[in-house]
């Protein structure tokens, strides 16, 4: 069974009670809106990893872009890039390496 929803209502539902969704399928533009909302709910795009997994190839990246406006200011947050690398390592079966990097990154966040 599935339900169709306009994007406005779906995003309101995602923000207020995301547990109603098991899987969300949508066009790319709506996926961008949903991923931005999800990132905002957990602290921003600087914390969210990304993976695009296909049959022949996969790409893992930080979704926030290069942030040239803060280049050289010692403000960049590498968390999204590190966690994207963790996703990639798990994808290729290097779970122990992924666990070590993830543990270190989350430890830094936890310890402030």
């Amino acid at each position: 069974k599935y339900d169709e929803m306009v994007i406005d209502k779906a995003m309101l539902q995602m923000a207020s009670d995301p547990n109603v969704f098991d899987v969300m399928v949508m066009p790319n533009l709506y996926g961008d809106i949903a991923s931005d909302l999800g990132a905002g709910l957990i602290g921003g795009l600087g914390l969210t990893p990304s993976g695009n997994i296909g049959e022949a190839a996969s790409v893992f990246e930080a979704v926030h872009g290069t942030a040239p406006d803060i280049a050289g200011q010692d403000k960049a947050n590498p968390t999204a890039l590190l966690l994207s690398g963790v996703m990639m390592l798990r994808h290729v079966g290097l779970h122990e390496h992924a666990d070590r990097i993830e543990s270190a990154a989350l430890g830094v966040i936890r310890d402030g």
Side-chain angles (χ1 to χ4, degrees):
K1 179 184 182 243
Y2 75 94
D3 294 316
E4 293 184 13
M5 233 181 259
V6 296
I7 189 67
D8 300 19
K9 182 179 178 186
M11 295 304 96
L12 175 62
Q13 189 69 48
M14 188 172 142
S16 61
D17 186 15
N19 294 319
V20 300
F21 298 110
D22 291 324
V23 174
M24 298 176 79
V25 178
M26 61 192 70
N28 188 52
L29 173 62
Y30 296 162
D32 285 347
I33 293 168
S35 64
D36 286 353
L37 173 62
L41 292 173
I42 62 123
L45 289 172
L47 298 174
T48 55
S50 173
N52 298 294
I53 300 171
E55 291 181 25
S58 298
V59 176
F60 300 86
E61 62 184 340
V63 296
H64 55 64
T66 60
D69 56 319
I70 61 169
Q73 297 179 34
D74 210 18
K75 293 181 181 178
N77 184 345
T79 304
L81 187 58
L82 285 170
L83 295 179
S84 296
V86 167
M87 288 175 65
M88 180 190 69
L89 290 169
R90 288 196 174 118
H91 182 70
V92 298
L94 297 173
H95 299 281
E96 183 180 328
H97 294 77
D99 292 345
R100 291 175 65 194
I101 294 168
E102 181 180 51
S103 178
L106 297 178
V108 168
I109 292 170
R110 180 185 57 249
D111 295 344

